[in-house]
Amino acid sequence: MVNAVNPPDVWPPFGAFSMAVIQGDGHVVHLKGQVSLDRRGQVVGQNDIRAQVRKVLENVRDVLAVMGGQMTDVLSVVHYATDIDAFMSTGDIRKEFFAAPYPVTTTVQVERLYRPELMIEIAAIAEIPRSRFRRPQTELTAP
């Protein structure tokens, strides 16, 4: 059974995907790659990698929060950047969201994302401790 989560405070899915999926009964959460969109689906920080990285990590944080998760629960992230050199200048922003021990990361440069004004997409996997985990009201269950 797939338990999908689509928080109301993050941009709504517009295709065949969910913002996060809870693995099995519970506590390992796979987050959809987040981009720099506000809750209305508008790009935040056009042509500004630093603003986009910040908004993306805020979206990751907000998706986790509806399940009781925190950024310290993130085990791994994959960064898809359209300009890896520009992305490498955002380490200080990542340190605002992540603390040691840091999640494992993979960073790749891609030609473009689904909207040309987007510069970064970040996917994550987290494990939320049972003591904090809560199933959100916005959960959808697929057969």
Side-chain angles (χ1 to χ4, degrees), residues 19-97:
M19 286 296 165
V21 174
I22 302 166
Q23 182 174 321
D25 284 337
H27 306 93
V28 174
V29 179
H30 299 259
L31 280 74
K32 180 228 175 289
Q34 288 296 312
V35 292
S36 184
L37 297 180
D38 64 18
R39 66 187 301 179
R40 296 179 329 271
Q42 300 300 308
V43 174
V44 173
Q46 189 165 339
N47 299 317
D48 183 345
I49 187 73
R50 294 180 62 78
Q52 288 198 18
V53 166
R54 184 175 306 285
K55 181 59 181 166
V56 169
L57 291 173
E58 289 171 353
N59 286 346
V60 169
R61 180 196 62 206
D62 294 348
V63 172
L64 287 172
V66 300
M67 294 169 275
Q70 302 169 357
M71 294 301 277
T72 55
D73 301 328
V74 175
L75 304 171
S76 70
V77 293
V78 179
H79 309 106
Y80 302 94
T82 59
D83 181 339
I84 204 163
D85 292 326
F87 173 75
M88 296 306 288
S89 72
T90 65
D92 60 316
I93 296 170
R94 288 186 71 247
K95 287 181 179 177
E96 292 175 24
F97 289 86

